[in-house]
Amino acid sequence: MAAQTLGPNAAPNAAGAPAQRTQNLATALRSAAAWASEQMGGGVCLVFAAAPGDASAEGAARLRAAAGFASAQAARDAAQAVLPEVRQTLRGQAARRIDSPAVLADRAKAGLQLLPLVFEESVHGVLVVGSLTAPDAACCELLNSLAAQLAVRLDHARLVEELARLRAAPTEAADPGKGEELLKLSEALFAQDIELLRNNEKLGKIEKLKNDFIEKMSRELRTPLNSIIEAIIGVLTGENDTLSEPAKVSLRQALDDGTAFLRTLQNILDLWRIKQRELPVEMHEINFPEMVDEAIFSVQDAIGKKPLSLTQRYAQPFPKLRSDLAKLGQILFLLLDNAVRFTPSGEIDISAKIEDGQLLCCVKDTGIGICPDDQQFIFDEFYQVDDSAALHSRGAGLGLTLVRDLVTLLEGEVSISSEVGIGTSVSFRIPVQTST
């Protein structure tokens, strides 16, 4: 992603109604939590604010925002589980890393980071973040910058309330002390406004460096990989009788691995472009049955010698559609590829129909299935089902994430239902224009 405006972005104004100021702070904290969760690859985030007084006191830390949870109750349960650690972080005022409690075992396998929100030696709360994989150095720097910004914002909110109380207090005649105190508070608020703007700029620069790195690495790796793939294809298709059969088998395996790696790089780049809003929607006329045939042809190598049958079910003649040809084709390929990889034998069924101006499509398989605990995370970036039966079929954990983001980009919806040992069904619907 390029530098963008983050949740806690604009410095709050000291003026305005108290209710509006409180709402602005709550919105900023929720936005910051959502942004942190996204940066952790779909992890979890909790923002606690410290209550006035002794940080060791009961109720000294209060949950103010959360992101990455299936429900509000799940967030409250997680907050309750980590509250003792949060209080300890408030007392120590130092960042800590802990193992995830049982309630977060599936959502934050890599553990939790607790970052105190400290500004000018005063602790104002704790930022708690968890992820499925350990964060890299760039991500840790982003989180540290976010913690610093949240600390300033919370202290800013405290000063705003103090200024409001001072202004509302009865003014004694010729009381120069009150005027002096008002002036000091106003100056402090102005300084914090500047600090918030600087923190925003720093966060934007760090994030831009991270995103530039992602794009550059994707492109730099794709160029030599394309050359390697083309060279292998050239050798295999050339009339070269000197190659032994084992050598040809090895080259075909290298070609398959290289193609899979290239596809993963492309998925990473596409996800990045979607988040950047740099993947425009382009409308084309589409023959949907032909598109399904092309997607099936593309997964033939993955099917190999598996005893799989693929069936297509839709009314004939199927109307011509207008949608984004490339994105719809990519969605179909990713769903079929996923179904093939996780179906050792059996059937894969592709069905589609037009209903109320929408294309409804379902890819159903009789594969290994997904347990209920994993289904709520299956669209998260890099999430992989921890199932020994599926170890040989693992990819990068980006296919369904990209399906979700592409469907969302086309203003549609995607859903999944699955039963272990029975199979999986992934359905999506997108608005389309039709013609006969």
Side-chain angles (χ1 to χ4, degrees):
M1 290 174 287
Q4 62 177 343
T5 303
L6 307 178
N9 53 347
N13 195 325
Q20 182 63 42
R21 292 195 301 270
T22 302
Q23 183 180 4
N24 289 343
L25 176 62
T27 300
L29 294 179
R30 286 195 297 269
S31 298
W35 183 82
S37 173
E38 180 184 339
Q39 295 303 307
M40 298 299 283
V44 295
C45 179
L46 299 163
V47 180
F48 290 86
D54 185 4
S56 64
E58 186 71 23
R62 182 165 65 94
L63 180 65
R64 293 295 303 271
F69 295 92
S71 66
Q73 186 58 51
R76 287 192 289 268
D77 291 342
Q80 190 63 34
V82 302
L83 189 56
E85 300 290 346
V86 168
R87 289 178 179 147
Q88 188 172 341
T89 305
L90 285 171
R91 291 193 295 270
Q93 298 189 23
R96 304 169 59 229
R97 186 174 183 82
I98 64 171
D99 293 334
S100 298
V103 71
L104 283 172
D106 291 333
R107 208 72 179 96
K109 293 180 180 179
L112 297 177
Q113 292 187 79
L114 287 80
L115 305 173
L117 308 180
V118 181
F119 180 74
E120 293 184 349
E121 300 183 356
S122 294
V123 60
H124 295 285
V126 176
L127 175 67
V128 181
V129 288
S131 61
L132 297 171
T133 58
D136 57 21
C139 188
C140 289
E141 188 173 356
L142 276 171
L143 292 176
N144 287 329
S145 296
L146 180 62
Q149 188 179 25
L150 288 176
V152 177
R153 183 170 287 281
L154 289 169
D155 191 67
H156 194 286
R158 178 188 65 81
L159 288 180
V160 166
E161 294 301 322
E162 190 176 337
L163 181 61
R165 284 195 299 270
L166 188 60
R167 284 175 172 169
T171 304
E172 300 295 334
D175 182 5
K178 181 176 179 179
E180 234 177 88
E181 193 171 353
L182 282 169
L183 180 60
K184 287 181 180 178
L185 283 173
S186 297
E187 289 175 347
L189 285 170
F190 179 74
Q192 286 185 351
D193 286 341
I194 300 300
E195 183 69 18
L196 284 169
L197 291 173
R198 286 175 177 167
N199 281 337
N200 263 329
E201 184 179 0
K202 182 180 179 182
L203 281 170
K205 287 180 178 179
I206 294 173
E207 190 175 0
K208 186 177 186 303
L209 286 173
K210 175 185 173 184
N211 295 320
D212 287 349
F213 173 78
I214 292 173
E215 183 182 22
K216 184 176 180 180
M217 287 303 295
S218 295
R219 295 186 185 281
E220 291 295 324
L221 287 172
R222 280 195 310 167
T223 301
L225 190 56
N226 272 320
S227 299
I228 293 170
I229 290 173
E230 290 172 4
I232 294 175
I233 292 174
V235 172
L236 287 173
T237 57
E239 295 182 4
N240 193 337
D241 296 331
T242 61
L243 282 177
S244 65
E245 191 58 34
K248 291 179 181 178
V249 171
S250 296
L251 283 173
R252 291 190 189 100
Q253 184 60 51
L255 179 61
D256 290 343
D257 291 342
T259 302
F261 185 29
L262 182 62
R263 190 177 298 124
T264 298
L265 285 175
Q266 186 60 52
N267 288 347
I268 292 173
L269 194 56
D270 285 344
L271 283 169
W272 179 84
R273 284 173 173 165
I274 290 172
K275 290 180 179 180
Q276 286 292 95
R277 295 180 176 85
E278 290 184 358
L279 201 63
V281 174
E282 300 176 354
M283 303 298 287
H284 308 88
E285 186 171 87
I286 297 171
N287 185 317
F288 187 75
E290 287 184 1
M291 178 177 284
V292 174
D293 289 339
E294 290 175 6
I296 291 174
F297 178 78
S298 298
V299 297
Q300 287 302 314
D301 287 342
I303 293 175
K305 296 181 180 180
K306 284 184 178 182
L308 277 177
S309 63
L310 279 74
T311 58
Q312 304 175 51
R313 294 187 296 109
Y314 27 74
Q316 296 288 356
F318 203 83
K320 294 289 182 65
L321 311 177
R322 281 192 63 80
S323 185
D324 190 302
L325 177 67
K327 294 175 183 59
L328 187 53
Q330 192 172 8
I331 290 168
L332 287 171
F333 168 79
L334 289 168
L335 291 180
L336 280 174
D337 182 63
N338 204 63
V340 168
R341 286 192 296 113
F342 292 98
T343 307
S345 63
E347 301 176 1
I348 297 176
D349 178 78
I350 307 105
S351 60
K353 62 179 179 179
I354 302 297
E355 184 177 281
D356 298 329
Q358 292 190 321
L359 168 66
L360 279 65
C361 182
C362 177
V363 177
K364 185 177 182 180
D365 64 60
T366 58
I368 61 176
I370 307 166
C371 71
D373 291 341
D374 288 319
Q375 289 180 33
Q376 59 180 318
F377 310 124
I378 203 67
F379 291 106
D380 291 353
E381 291 180 18
F382 300 106
Y383 186 81
Q384 296 175 324
V385 176
D386 188 13
D387 191 319
S388 57
L391 288 176
H392 66 283
S393 301
R394 282 188 173 180
L398 291 175
L400 288 178
T401 304
L402 187 53
V403 166
R404 179 202 60 192
D405 288 359
L406 287 170
V407 170
T408 302
L409 186 63
L410 297 177
E411 300 181 353
E413 297 177 350
V414 63
S415 61
I416 188 169
S417 62
S418 186
E419 189 174 348
V420 175
I422 302 297
T424 301
S425 175
V426 183
S427 303
F428 69 89
R429 59 172 65 216
I430 60 170
V432 294
Q433 301 172 10
T434 60
S435 60
T436 55

